[in-house]
Amino acid sequence: MVQTTKKTDTEIQESVLDELRWDTRIKEAAVSVEVDRGIVTLTGSVDTWTARLAAQEAAHRVAGVMDVANDIQVEVSGSLERTDADIARAVRGALEWDVLVPQARITTTVSNGVVTLSGRVDYWSQYEDAARAVRNLAGVVEVKNEIDVEPPAVAPHAVRSAIDRALARHAAHCAKHVNIAIADDRVVLTGEVPSWAERATVEGAVRGTPGVRRVDNHLHIRV
């Protein structure tokens, strides 16, 4: 068996900084990184919500990272500045043009560049697609997704069967270490996975299952 050496906090910090430099969506010079026992804290400022999320995703991609605290501030300036009215019109247009989003069932509020999404959809994928459609718009400093997911009624045994098949397709090599508890349309995940990417893969497979309204992901990263 190959033995792996656990990364030090300094090594993790250097790797996260390298990942930030590699990701072209981020101006890494404006982002600072601190690491304490595998927990990464990101600070600094960026000019778009997309860059803030990209920095968070970049940190999670680094081996050895357990958790990420994203304290990066979004400070819009220059050509990216927009009024709330401009942003509201752009948000509605983005929702209308996205064929995956049931835009007629979604309402939005814009205040100081913060976009709040409300309404009801049938599937978790629609919840995520709505946020994805607007988070890259100029002038947006934050997206608050308060959309309710109200899926069609599906029997618990059918949900479990569908989840098992999804995990077999997407995360077969780590699914045996994942425990699934189902209560009505809520799914609780516990156990261990080898990386943040695997954690996200498992959660994505579960969220995409018809009948799932909420996922509580308590999976730990195995180190």
Side-chain angles (χ1 to χ4, degrees):
M1 179 182 295
V2 178
Q3 297 294 326
T4 58
T5 303
K6 185 177 180 180
K7 281 187 174 182
T8 65
D9 284 345
T10 299
E11 290 172 332
I12 293 173
Q13 181 186 42
E14 292 173 351
S15 295
V16 171
L17 287 169
D18 285 342
E19 192 70 11
L20 292 174
R21 296 186 190 100
W22 176 82
D23 196 318
T24 58
R25 298 172 295 174
I26 309 162
K27 296 178 181 178
E28 41 69 40
V31 178
S32 298
V33 178
E34 295 182 2
V35 184
D36 180 17
R37 291 175 293 180
I39 299 174
V40 174
T41 300
L42 303 175
T43 57
S45 63
V46 293
D47 55 8
T48 66
W49 183 250
T50 299
R52 183 181 188 274
L53 294 180
Q56 177 178 308
E57 293 168 358
H60 276 306
R61 288 195 297 267
V62 173
V65 171
M66 301 294 293
D67 300 287
V68 176
N70 191 347
D71 292 331
I72 296 172
Q73 301 299 310
V74 179
E75 298 179 358
V76 178
S77 60
S79 63
L80 295 177
E81 285 188 294
R82 299 289 189 276
T83 67
D84 286 344
D86 289 336
I87 295 172
R89 285 190 289 269
V91 165
R92 179 51 54 185
L95 295 175
E96 289 177 346
W97 279 83
D98 195 316
V99 296
L100 299 179
V101 178
Q103 62 87 20
R105 300 169 62 184
I106 297 172
T107 59
T108 71
T109 304
V110 183
S111 178
N112 296 320
V114 178
V115 178
T116 302
L117 304 175
S118 306
R120 290 182 174 84
V121 295
D122 293 329
Y123 303 107
W124 192 269
S125 59
Q126 295 171 329
Y127 169 95
E128 293 185 327
D129 286 335
R132 175 192 47 74
V134 305
R135 68 188 184 197
N136 297 338
L137 298 176
V140 173
V141 301
E142 183 179 354
V143 177
K144 294 182 178 180
N145 196 343
E146 298 179 358
I147 297 172
D148 290 325
V149 181
E150 297 185 352
V154 180
H157 72 274
V159 173
R160 177 176 291 278
S161 178
I163 289 173
D164 289 341
R165 292 196 300 272
L167 290 179
R169 293 192 301 272
H170 301 294
H173 54 294
C174 66
K176 62 182 179 181
H177 300 294
V178 176
N179 301 312
I180 303 169
I182 300 175
D184 298 323
D185 49 12
R186 174 172 168 265
V187 178
V188 179
L189 301 175
T190 56
E192 293 184 339
V193 289
S195 68
W196 190 267
E198 292 289 352
R199 186 180 189 274
T201 297
V202 171
E203 180 174 333
V206 175
R207 287 193 188 281
T209 301
V212 174
R213 179 178 182 181
R214 175 179 170 184
V215 178
D216 293 341
N217 192 344
H218 299 302
L219 292 172
H220 293 287
I221 309 300
R222 185 168 63 251
V223 295

